Amino acid sequence: MATVNGAVGAMDPKNSSKNTLKMENTEKRDTLIEIEKRYQKKWQESGIFNATAPSISEIPSGSMPAPELRKKHPKYFGTFAYPYMNGTLHAGHSFTISKVEFTAGFSRMQGKRVLFPLGYHCTGMPIKACADKLTDDVRKFGKNFEHYEDEGPDGVGQTGKPPAPTQAETKEDITKFTSKKGKAAAKTVKMKYQFQIMLALGIPREEIHEFADAHHWLQYFPPLCKQDLNNFGARIDWRRSMTTTDANPYYDAFVRWQMNRLRELDKIQYGVRYTIYSPKDGQPCMDHDRNEGEGVAPQDYTALKLKVIEWAPKAAEIVKGKIPKSANVYFVPATLRPETMYGQTCCFVGPKIVYGVFKVSENEYYVVTKRAAWNMAFQGTFFKSDSFARDASELPAVVELIGSEVVGTLVTAPLSIHKQGVRILPMESVLPTKGTGVVTSVPSDSPDDYATVQDLAKKADYYGIQKEWAQLEIPPIIETPSYGNLTAKFLVEKMKINSPKDAKQLVEAKDLAYKEGYYKGTMLIGDFKGQPVEAAKPKVREALIKSGEAFEYAEPNGHVVSRSGDECVTAYLGQWFLNYGENDPQWRDTVLDHIKTSMETYSSETQNGFEKNLEWLNRWACARTYGLGSKLPWDPKFLVESLSDSTIYQAYYTISYLLHSDIFGTKPGLLPIKPDQMIDEVWDYIFCRRELSDELLKSCRIKKADLETMRREFEYWYPLDMNSSGKDLIPNHLTFFLYVHLALFPKEYWPRSVRANGHLLLNGDKMSKSTGNFMTLKDAVKKFGADACRIALADAGDGVEDANFEEAVANQIILRLYTLKEWCEEVVRDTNLRTGPADQLWDKLFENEVNSLVHEARQHYEALDYKVALKSAFYDFTSSRDFYREATTAASISMHRTLILRYVELQALLITPIAPHWADYIWQEVLHKPDTIQNALWPTVPHHDPSLTAAREYVRATSSAITSAEAAQQKRKEKGKNIMFDPKLPKKLTIFYAASFPAWQDSYLEIVRQSFDGTSINEKELNMKVQAKGKQEMKRGMPFVQGLKKRLMAGESGSVVFERKLPFEEGDVLRQMVKGLRRTTGCKIVEVVKVEDDEAEKVGTVMVGDGKGEKRKELPSVAGGAVPGNPSFYFENIEA
């Protein structure tokens, strides 16, 4: 038992987050979390997030068209890809959820009925595969794994030998023996067994054996998911939740209806095709069935049969007596370019690769790698489709040969001009993991081949070959406009490629050669001479196969490992598939048109992702025999696979709570309907595919009013307003979602938008349990609280690029929220706040800025730009308060009570979509509002006054310039440099503002006027005219032009801007700033001087100060730099 207890410690789930931020002094966080728990409880008890459509008693069925119903009662329906129930949610899930969550919160404030439901995806292999592994673990180690013994870093147990590595593990294990490990790495326990993974998930050891029953997962993880999201404050209508698979008979009926209707529409077909396949599982292995290799697809090749004419001496000795003399043995290279086979001059093998001679029939044998033979075994070469092997041991090689032993073997080369045969030669770069490990050589058009045969001829003795074997004639086979008729030779010489080791240049040359030859080349030889290569290629392939000199071959175009740990192959077998792609061009083009013209994708990257995916996505196997799921209605030995039962589940959400009140469908919902009553025709009626009839009412035995109620829910909530998901699901789930929606539903119910986001980084790095940089949603909320997490997620970003959850930001937000909460509590009780008219300049500036930010935040929320919405609604909103507080304090007046209470109210409202707990606390417990803020509407405020906005910016810019200048003098003093004045001694500040604009600006003003059409500026025309004045003039002119543009774009009236008037009275603003400047600068005296032109000199009038009204001449030089809206100033020391 000690060893398994040691494993428990090593698998502690805390290890996965050991390198994240450590929290200290959590009192403020704990206070905020206590508030969050209180409001979460209130929300759940009140059912505030439970949304329903207008009932048929309110608006009778058929009395109003669905679009009119939705217009009269606005709604928002958002979802995210329902999570898979083989674990708990991580922080990345919460990032995707937050996009729907924030939109749901804002939509409520727009007065819409909001539906945000969530179900639990359980279909497919992962759960079943894990359960089966646990069954094996229990059998090996006992119910509580008490017989398990820790394995050392080499995989050796205390008393046992290491298990034989699987094919997928071999390379990793070899590396493990040779790598040097530090102490931390040496102590890391490799999670080889499923029970170890369960320990790392935090499952108590005594409970793990229960998960050997696949259905226990369905019972265990959904409640945890619900609790985590409630702790996050998600606005989810939990009544509509369900599990997938036949564990829920209602959802099962829904999936069976979906599959039946798709088959009737000829969208599901049966055929023999290549697919990624798991021999161990005995079924296709689709994207969601994979531990590795999502998105990997079959790659088609042409497998040539190069018959052995004469074995090399070493090989002849090895095969002697093991292969009948009368048998035909073929080296089988796999090529992507059958049209070039006319130019074969040799055939390559990897000199260190192990090849097998595999028996096809009594008289036919193939020489390929074990991996290639294993792929061929599922394509009709060695086994029939009804008796596929489950283990590679069922396909032994008759004999094994090392590549170097077959060098020199003479073989035939189909289509080659060298009818006497070509030789097998060595090529160091041949990969055993791609193709068959045998590579036919066409040096006329392959730069790799040309470079290799040249190298072989130069170093024949080194390679142990006869020089002439590598010097057979290289015939021209394809004419190209750019590279002539010997493309490879041309490119190798042009790019100065000296050997096969010039890998980088060869990759580039190969790409150039293929594109030029395929798209622009013309055949010079063979039956299809004179034809474009693009047209000849399939014809050559067909002719080779028909003659028996080649056959079709396919393999995965990447490494694929199933959930059961099996390395996958490509199989050619009969299967049910969804007819996506080029075989149903009308369906594909309908989806493409919807994406381009009707659906919002929020980013060009997402739209491009869909468009590119539609170009290559093809038929998709929609059934399997292993795992969890709904049975295929017409062929029940198959189950519907996980990416095919999860395409339109959003429609099921609309009625699920009417059918059942628990996730398994064992408890009735609001309507008395049993699963067997949900026949296909009922689903058709609900989803607006047919109308009611007496026959339907009779056959389903459901009341007419109940049917109308279900249909009302669908036709009201649909179309789906937003589906949020990670960008990695565009190639499958999201594209399938569109395909099936458009196939099954009327056009008015097609999805309105899809929002895709990038992955979520943690502290700038990829989340990884192995590195200790990982966080579950539960951990994040426990660590920072819900609102701090939500704000950090909003701050992380909104694009499709990877976003970053920064723990330091989340930690800082705790302090911000707590400090702001305390300030709100204190200021509401403050009896010293000013009352009466709010007519001070600072009151007006504050109120105007607050109004401006309310409008700004709304625009950003509407655009789903949450990062900038957060800036306006929280960061800038707090800054506006700070400015007002500092300005009134400096002016020796208190803040105005009405404005401050309004500010607190608006701050709570603006942050509600993102931080609802904090907002509701302020709303109800600080402002004492009678109802939750979750029911509050977005505030209505006046539009901002551009003149006040300009005055505020003037105050900020002027104050900043003055204080910065004083600070700069202090720094110069500390460094021992000359200073204009000593900031520490008594001083005087004189501010100069200009009465009129300089004459030189008139021409630039006219340029801007001509380029402005009342709403926008013609940038091209403006820049050309400014540049025409020359570089010297531009230096002073361009800043002035930019200032004018900024004012116009901020909404100032063109008449005000072009009439050379500031939108505010500059002297009056400066007068009101004096008291504050005296306080912030510590100046004994602050004067404001108005500067005017008096013939050839500048004169001033003191507007504020002891000499008010006094005229002054001989002003300091800085006075001449003042222009309206941009004052100059002058510090000087005075007597104490």
Side-chain angles (χ1 to χ4, degrees):
M1 186 64 75
T3 53
V4 74
N5 286 337
V8 171
M11 298 300 168
D12 187 338
K14 293 178 183 177
N15 288 334
S16 65
S17 58
K18 63 186 177 184
N19 291 327
T20 59
L21 183 71
K22 303 299 182 289
M23 300 292 286
E24 298 176 355
N25 303 321
T26 62
E27 294 85 355
K28 294 179 175 63
R29 179 204 68 184
D30 296 342
T31 299
L32 294 175
I33 288 179
E34 188 277 325
I35 291 170
E36 292 168 355
K37 296 297 182 190
R38 195 159 71 240
Y39 280 90
Q40 287 164 7
K41 187 171 184 290
K42 286 183 179 183
W43 298 338
Q44 292 305 314
E45 288 176 349
S46 67
I48 195 168
F49 304 132
N50 297 346
T52 56
S55 69
I56 58 173
S57 59
E58 294 175 70
I59 303 174
S61 179
S63 65
M64 183 183 294
E68 190 176 328
L69 175 68
R70 295 190 290 270
K71 184 176 181 180
K72 184 176 180 180
H73 299 279
K75 63 88 181 180
Y76 169 80
F77 178 20
T79 63
F80 89 106
Y82 50 16
Y84 198 77
M85 289 296 100
N86 62 343
T88 54
L89 302 182
H90 56 70
H93 284 111
S94 63
F95 183 57
T96 303
I97 293 165
S98 72
K99 305 306 179 185
V100 187
E101 169 63 21
F102 299 156
T103 311
F106 178 67
S107 296
R108 291 178 68 93
M109 301 187 78
Q110 292 177 297
K112 298 177 182 179
R113 300 189 191 203
V114 173
L115 177 58
F116 179 14
L118 184 69
Y120 309 107
H121 199 198
C122 307
T123 308
M125 283 183 56
I127 290 174
K128 184 71 169 75
C130 291
D132 289 350
K133 288 179 183 178
L134 276 176
T135 299
D136 191 48
D137 288 354
V138 169
R139 188 178 68 251
K140 286 180 180 177
F141 306 122
K143 181 178 177 180
N144 293 322
F145 316 101
E146 59 271 18
H147 302 305
Y148 171 77
E149 295 181 349
D150 284 336
E151 297 178 354
D154 58 357
V156 181
Q158 291 180 348
T159 59
K161 296 180 180 179
T166 64
Q167 187 174 353
E169 294 172 329
T170 303
K171 185 176 179 181
E172 182 180 316
D173 287 347
I174 291 171
T175 303
K176 184 161 60 179
F177 284 123
T178 57
S179 65
K180 294 183 179 179
K181 294 177 176 287
K183 290 183 178 179
K187 292 179 180 178
T188 299
V189 178
K190 185 181 177 183
M191 289 188 285
K192 179 178 179 180
Y193 298 104
Q194 185 63 38
F195 84 88
Q196 295 173 318
I197 295 172
M198 306 304 285
L199 285 171
L201 286 174
I203 311 295
R205 175 166 53 88
E206 296 76 15
E207 297 178 20
I208 291 176
H209 68 90
E210 297 177 35
F211 289 86
D213 175 5
H215 288 89
H216 184 67
W217 298 67
L218 281 60
Q219 300 277 352
Y220 187 87
F221 285 110
L224 296 182
C225 173
K226 179 178 179 179
Q227 186 59 55
D228 288 349
L229 286 169
N230 280 339
N231 291 342
F232 184 64
R235 301 173 175 91
I236 293 174
D237 183 350
W238 291 110
R239 302 172 306 157
R240 298 174 186 262
S241 299
M242 76 293 181
T243 58
T244 63
T245 77
D246 54 8
N248 183 321
Y250 294 96
Y251 190 80
D252 186 55
F254 168 70
V255 172
R256 285 187 280 108
W257 161 80
Q258 170 190 337
M259 303 308 285
N260 279 331
R261 292 298 179 254
L262 287 170
R263 188 185 181 206
E264 289 169 8
L265 291 167
D266 205 29
K267 305 303 182 187
I268 293 179
Q269 299 176 358
Y270 186 85
V272 180
R273 59 189 289 270
Y274 289 113
T275 190
I276 306 298
Y277 182 88
S278 167
K280 179 179 178 181
D281 301 329
Q283 65 176 9
C285 184
M286 310 313 289
D287 274 2
H288 279 195
D289 303 327
R290 303 174 186 175
N291 270 339
E292 296 178 43
E294 187 169 342
V296 171
Q299 173 68 64
D300 293 335
Y301 290 90
T302 302
L304 288 168
K305 297 168 69 173
L306 279 59
K307 182 180 175 181
V308 174
I309 300 172
E310 178 186 39
W311 285 104
K314 286 184 181 179
E317 187 177 335
I318 294 170
V319 303
K320 185 177 181 181
K322 297 175 183 176
I323 301 173
K325 290 184 179 180
S326 59
N328 294 318
V329 182
Y330 298 93
F331 279 78
V332 184
T335 181
L336 296 171
R337 302 195 63 188
E339 76 282 6
T340 65
M341 293 304 99
Y342 297 101
Q344 294 178 84
T345 64
C346 63
C347 179
F348 295 129
V349 294
K352 298 177 182 178
I353 294 175
V354 176
Y355 294 87
V357 180
F358 295 92
K359 182 179 178 181
V360 180
S361 66
E362 291 300 327
N363 293 310
E364 191 165 348
Y365 293 77
Y366 291 168
V367 181
V368 291
T369 60
K370 177 75 173 180
R371 174 187 165 280
W374 189 229
N375 265 277
M376 291 177 185
F378 301 92
Q379 298 169 28
T381 299
F382 303 111
F383 301 99
K384 294 181 179 179
S385 61
D386 58 354
S387 58
F388 280 164
R390 289 296 183 97
D391 189 90
S393 62
E394 297 177 53
L395 183 64
V398 174
V399 64
E400 289 188 344
L401 297 160
I402 298 173
S404 59
E405 294 170 338
V406 301
V407 169
T409 298
L410 182 66
V411 295
T412 62
L415 299 185
S416 172
I417 66 166
H418 299 292
K419 303 301 181 185
Q420 77 282 5
V422 299
R423 297 286 177 172
I424 303 293
L425 298 180
M427 187 182 200
E428 296 286 350
S429 59
V430 172
L431 297 173
T433 55
K434 188 173 183 180
T436 62
V438 181
V439 180
T440 190
S441 172
V442 183
S444 59
D445 289 77
S446 167
D448 289 279
D449 295 354
Y450 183 81
T452 300
V453 294
Q454 293 298 305
D455 190 57
L456 288 170
K458 288 178 185 176
K459 304 174 184 176
D461 292 340
Y462 173 80
Y463 289 110
I465 66 169
Q466 294 181 30
K467 187 174 184 179
E468 57 268 22
W469 292 349
Q471 290 185 317
L472 296 188
E473 178 190 351
I474 301 175
I477 58 172
I478 294 173
E479 181 70 45
T480 66
S482 301
Y483 311 134
N485 59 20
L486 288 173
T487 294
K489 182 176 185 294
F490 180 92
L491 286 171
V492 166
E493 292 175 353
K494 180 183 178 183
M495 298 175 71
K496 298 180 180 178
I497 296 170
N498 298 313
S499 83
K501 294 182 180 179
D502 294 336
K504 186 177 180 181
Q505 299 102 302
L506 282 169
V507 169
E508 183 182 352
K510 180 179 179 180
D511 185 56
L512 292 171
Y514 182 80
K515 288 179 179 177
E516 178 79 7
Y518 183 72
Y519 293 109
K520 300 179 182 179
T522 302
M523 298 298 297
L524 296 175
I525 192 172
D527 294 341
F528 308 103
K529 180 179 178 180
Q531 294 189 19
V533 169
E534 195 170 0
K537 179 175 180 175
K539 297 176 183 178
V540 175
R541 184 175 195 260
E542 183 182 358
L544 280 166
I545 293 172
K546 190 174 181 180
S547 69
E549 295 177 296
F551 58 93
E552 295 181 7
Y553 170 70
E555 65 182 30
N557 62 5
H559 187 61
V560 180
V561 178
S562 73
R563 297 278 184 178
S564 61
D566 188 33
E567 185 171 359
C568 294
V569 297
T570 292
Y572 188 66
L573 72 168
Q575 58 189 204
W576 293 102
F577 57 83
L578 277 152
N579 197 30
Y580 300 139
E582 61 186 12
N583 295 292
D584 192 338
Q586 184 177 359
W587 193 14
R588 179 197 60 198
D589 293 345
T590 302
V591 174
L592 183 60
D593 181 68
H594 181 61
I595 291 168
K596 287 183 173 181
T597 63
S598 306
M599 191 180 80
E600 175 63 62
T601 58
Y602 304 100
S603 72
S604 58
E605 292 92 339
T606 299
Q607 179 164 327
N608 292 337
F610 275 121
E611 291 178 12
K612 289 178 180 177
N613 192 47
L614 287 168
E615 289 177 7
W616 70 262
L617 180 65
N618 215 319
R619 293 169 171 171
W620 185 268
C622 61
R624 63 156 64 79
T625 56
Y626 173 80
L628 303 179
S630 297
K631 291 181 174 63
L632 209 57
W634 60 90
D635 199 350
K637 68 177 178 288
F638 288 106
L639 299 171
V640 180
E641 67 96 23
S642 61
L643 282 170
S644 298
D645 84 335
S646 57
T647 54
I648 57 168
Y649 60 88
Q650 299 86 357
Y652 186 81
Y653 285 143
T654 64
I655 63 161
S656 57
Y657 81 111
L658 300 173
L659 299 175
H660 51 84
S661 59
D662 70 322
I663 62 175
F664 297 106
T666 59
K667 298 176 182 178
L670 296 182
L671 301 179
I673 300 172
K674 296 180 179 179
D676 62 358
Q677 293 177 277
M678 296 301 293
I679 60 177
D680 285 356
E681 291 73 20
V682 167
W683 296 106
D684 287 337
Y685 172 72
I686 294 169
F687 298 141
C688 303
R689 292 169 52 88
R690 62 164 291 164
E691 297 305 320
L692 268 181
S693 67
D694 291 339
E695 182 183 355
L696 174 57
L697 289 169
K698 183 179 179 181
S699 60
C700 72
R701 311 180 314 282
I702 299 174
K703 295 177 183 177
K704 179 180 179 182
D706 292 345
L707 287 169
E708 290 175 339
T709 296
M710 289 191 287
R711 179 158 176 166
R712 167 58 56 81
E713 287 282 336
F714 171 75
E715 68 181 5
Y716 176 70
W717 291 115
Y718 252 59
L720 180 66
D721 293 288
M722 185 173 79
N723 189 8
S724 177
S725 186
K727 64 183 179 183
D728 53 311
L729 294 186
I730 291 174
N732 43 58
H733 169 69
L734 291 176
T735 302
F736 299 172
F737 155 81
L738 294 176
Y739 259 117
V740 180
H741 267 84
L742 271 59
L744 292 182
F745 298 124
K747 189 170 185 177
E748 70 171 285
Y749 300 110
W750 291 358
R752 286 179 173 167
S753 78
V754 170
R755 175 158 190 162
N757 56 259
H759 299 293
L760 185 68
L761 305 177
L762 181 59
N763 302 321
D765 292 319
K766 182 179 179 181
M767 277 200 286
S768 169
K769 291 182 179 180
S770 62
T771 63
N773 191 54
F774 185 81
M775 193 179 295
T776 64
L777 173 56
K778 178 182 177 181
D779 293 338
V781 171
K782 184 178 180 181
K783 193 170 191 175
F784 301 109
D787 282 341
C789 283
R790 293 167 68 106
I791 291 174
L793 288 168
D795 195 58
D798 295 300
V800 296
E801 65 278 358
D802 290 347
N804 183 33
F805 183 96
E806 194 67 56
E807 287 191 283
V809 171
N811 199 26
Q812 291 164 7
I813 290 166
I814 293 172
L815 179 60
R816 271 182 174 269
L817 288 174
Y818 184 84
T819 304
L820 187 56
K821 175 189 82 73
E822 287 207 319
W823 180 84
C824 291
E825 292 166 345
E826 292 169 5
V827 80
V828 166
R829 296 192 300 264
D830 191 347
T831 57
N832 295 318
L833 294 178
R834 181 163 41 94
T835 57
D839 55 3
Q840 294 289 319
L841 173 66
W842 314 117
D843 298 336
K844 295 175 183 178
L845 296 183
F846 177 54
E847 183 177 21
N848 185 68
E849 183 172 15
V850 162
N851 291 341
S852 176
L853 289 170
V854 170
H855 287 288
E856 260 185 43
R858 178 173 190 136
Q859 290 172 2
H860 297 318
Y861 275 127
E862 287 175 339
L864 277 64
D865 291 332
Y866 300 115
K867 186 177 178 73
V868 285
L870 177 68
K871 181 177 182 296
S872 299
F874 187 51
Y875 296 121
D876 289 350
F877 213 71
T878 305
S879 295
S880 72
R881 187 261 337 240
D882 295 341
F883 175 78
Y884 181 51
R885 182 170 57 183
E886 291 162 8
T888 51
T889 299
S892 300
I893 58 174
S894 59
M895 297 183 291
H896 196 280
R897 180 170 184 79
T898 302
L899 293 180
I900 284 300
L901 290 179
R902 180 60 172 155
Y903 165 83
V904 173
E905 180 178 314
L906 289 173
Q907 177 63 94
L909 289 167
L910 264 61
I911 202 65
T912 293
I914 296 174
H917 310 86
W918 187 93
D920 216 357
Y921 170 80
I922 298 297
W923 191 253
Q924 294 194 63
E925 298 188 41
V926 177
L927 297 175
H928 305 293
K929 301 287 185 179
D931 190 19
T932 172
I933 203 168
Q934 297 279 12
N935 290 330
L937 296 178
W938 188 263
T940 300
V941 299
H943 282 283
H944 75 284
D945 182 339
S947 64
L948 289 173
T949 301
R952 181 197 68 211
E953 292 305 314
Y954 176 87
V955 170
R956 282 180 170 162
T958 302
S959 298
S960 177
I962 290 171
T963 55
S964 295
E966 185 182 24
Q969 289 298 307
Q970 181 60 35
K971 285 183 179 179
R972 290 181 64 86
K973 179 184 177 183
E974 291 170 358
K975 292 179 179 180
K977 297 182 179 180
N978 292 331
I979 55 175
M980 304 291 293
F981 68 97
D982 190 335
K984 298 295 185 182
L985 298 177
K987 55 187 180 292
K988 171 185 175 182
L989 169 65
T990 304
I991 303 172
F992 303 98
Y993 74 97
S996 60
F997 289 92
W1000 66 264
Q1001 293 180 352
D1002 290 343
S1003 61
Y1004 289 99
L1005 192 79
E1006 187 58 30
I1007 288 173
V1008 177
R1009 189 201 307 270
Q1010 291 172 3
S1011 302
F1012 183 63
D1013 63 6
T1015 56
S1016 62
I1017 293 173
N1018 186 328
E1019 296 280 355
K1020 185 176 180 181
E1021 178 185 326
L1022 176 68
N1023 291 333
M1024 285 178 61
K1025 289 183 177 179
V1026 172
Q1027 290 169 6
K1029 287 184 167 289
K1031 289 185 179 180
Q1032 198 62 34
E1033 271 292 305
M1034 279 178 62
K1035 285 184 179 179
R1036 68 173 182 173
M1038 188 55 80
F1040 173 65
V1041 168
Q1042 296 293 349
L1044 293 175
K1045 284 168 56 180
K1046 185 176 180 181
R1047 290 173 62 188
L1048 290 168
M1049 292 301 99
E1052 278 191 53
S1053 166
S1055 60
V1056 172
V1057 174
F1058 295 129
E1059 284 178 16
R1060 310 279 273 167
K1061 292 180 181 178
L1062 289 178
F1064 56 89
E1065 174 51 54
E1066 187 172 10
D1068 185 54
V1069 172
L1070 286 170
R1071 178 181 60 78
Q1072 298 194 58
M1073 290 177 64
V1074 166
K1075 188 179 285 187
L1077 287 171
R1078 188 180 294 128
R1079 180 168 180 163
T1080 56
T1081 63
C1083 287
K1084 297 287 186 182
I1085 301 172
V1086 176
E1087 283 186 342
V1088 176
V1089 177
K1090 181 179 180 181
V1091 180
E1092 300 173 280
D1093 287 320
D1094 183 11
E1095 296 180 357
E1097 64 177 336
K1098 299 279 187 182
V1099 297
T1101 303
V1102 179
M1103 307 301 293
V1104 178
D1106 294 340
K1108 184 177 180 181
E1110 174 187 326
K1111 295 286 185 180
R1112 290 186 183 172
K1113 295 187 177 182
E1114 298 182 359
L1115 298 175
S1117 59
V1118 295
V1123 294
N1126 188 13
S1128 57
F1129 51 87
Y1130 180 73
F1131 280 103
E1132 59 186 313
N1133 291 118
I1134 58 175
E1135 296 293 329

